[in-house]
Amino acid sequence: MILPCFDPATWGPSLDAAVHALSRGEVVVLPTDTVYGVGCDAFQPEAVARVLAAKGRDRQMPPPVLIPSAQTVDGLARDVPAPARALMEALWPGPLTVIVSAQPSLAWDLGETRGTVALRVPDHAAALALLARTGPLAVTSANRTGNSAATTADDAERQLGDAVSVYLDGGDSPLGVASTIVDATGPALRIVREGGVSGDRLVEIVGAQAFGEGMVPK
């Protein structure tokens, strides 16, 4: 079911359908600033398993978690280093995912995370409106593993089909490229993937000294 999600004045029924599906442990597709995401309630392990199955992934590749604001971080993460916080403050909402140490008391199962969680605040009005109602969502790019990430709801539906209950159609993805991923769980920051934010921009914010030797982008 593809539902329109273009205009805040009219997207209420579409968001209602997505919220209800998520509460039932079902899987939804949502627009973000980078590419379309496929996700579920982060605190329903069976739903997370459905997301991984829809993509054709196993538990060795746990999904990131989208959150409505940086204020949510401390409820989900611990020991967040100052450079990572500086990146969050400068670049959220936006195309930056930060891997941090997860709070050990959290009642969730995202897969083989080794005690970490990858967090992002998307810069997309519809996604933020949904997150404001649902709280943290386990969301990964809306595509079958090995295929290109979907940048339209129709493309996502072609790839994921009936594995998804609700597709929110927000039009073409603004960026069309995945987020940059920074690992902040070690003694220094490490760029895992360069995407929507350049390495030069990261260095501009926190300085080259925040990155480990050999980890500073050229």
Side-chain angles (χ1 to χ4, degrees):
M1 176 169 52
I2 296 182
L3 299 176
C5 204
F6 298 93
D7 183 353
T10 59
W11 70 29
S14 299
L15 289 187
D16 287 346
V19 169
H20 294 154
L22 290 163
S23 70
R24 295 190 298 265
E26 296 172 7
V27 176
V28 305
V29 159
L30 64 150
T32 80
D33 48 333
T34 55
V35 295
Y36 272 73
V38 57
C40 67
D41 182 341
F43 293 96
Q44 295 194 41
E46 291 182 358
V48 174
R50 292 188 187 101
V51 169
L52 295 176
K55 276 191 67 83
R57 280 187 175 175
D58 59 26
R59 289 173 51 82
Q60 302 301 317
M61 299 184 72
V65 173
L66 295 187
I67 55 178
S69 71
Q71 284 67 47
T72 310
V73 169
D74 288 326
L76 304 178
R78 61 181 177 86
D79 303 327
V80 179
R85 287 196 187 274
L87 292 178
M88 294 171 181
E89 290 171 4
L91 298 171
W92 281 357
L96 173 72
T97 299
V98 183
I99 302 172
V100 290
S101 298
Q103 288 283 3
S105 60
L106 289 172
W108 63 10
D109 182 5
L110 299 173
E112 301 303 325
T113 65
R114 297 175 177 81
T116 68
V117 61
L119 301 175
R120 185 167 91 87
V121 180
D123 188 13
H124 192 285
L128 291 173
L130 181 63
L131 289 162
R133 295 181 59 182
T134 63
L137 296 178
V139 178
T140 183
S141 58
N143 59 280
R144 291 288 296 178
T145 297
N147 294 349
S148 297
T151 57
T152 66
D154 287 338
D155 186 13
E157 186 186 36
R158 280 192 293 271
Q159 296 196 51
L160 302 176
D162 293 339
V164 174
S165 296
V166 174
Y167 291 83
L168 294 178
D169 184 0
D172 292 347
S173 299
L175 287 179
V177 296
S179 65
T180 293
I181 301 176
V182 171
D183 186 344
T185 62
L189 300 181
R190 180 173 66 91
I191 297 174
V192 177
R193 179 183 72 196
E194 192 166 331
V197 179
S198 71
D200 287 344
R201 177 68 177 128
L202 299 176
V203 171
E204 179 183 320
I205 294 166
V206 296
Q209 72 279 1
F211 294 86
E213 185 177 351
M215 298 299 174
V216 179
K218 304 301 183 184

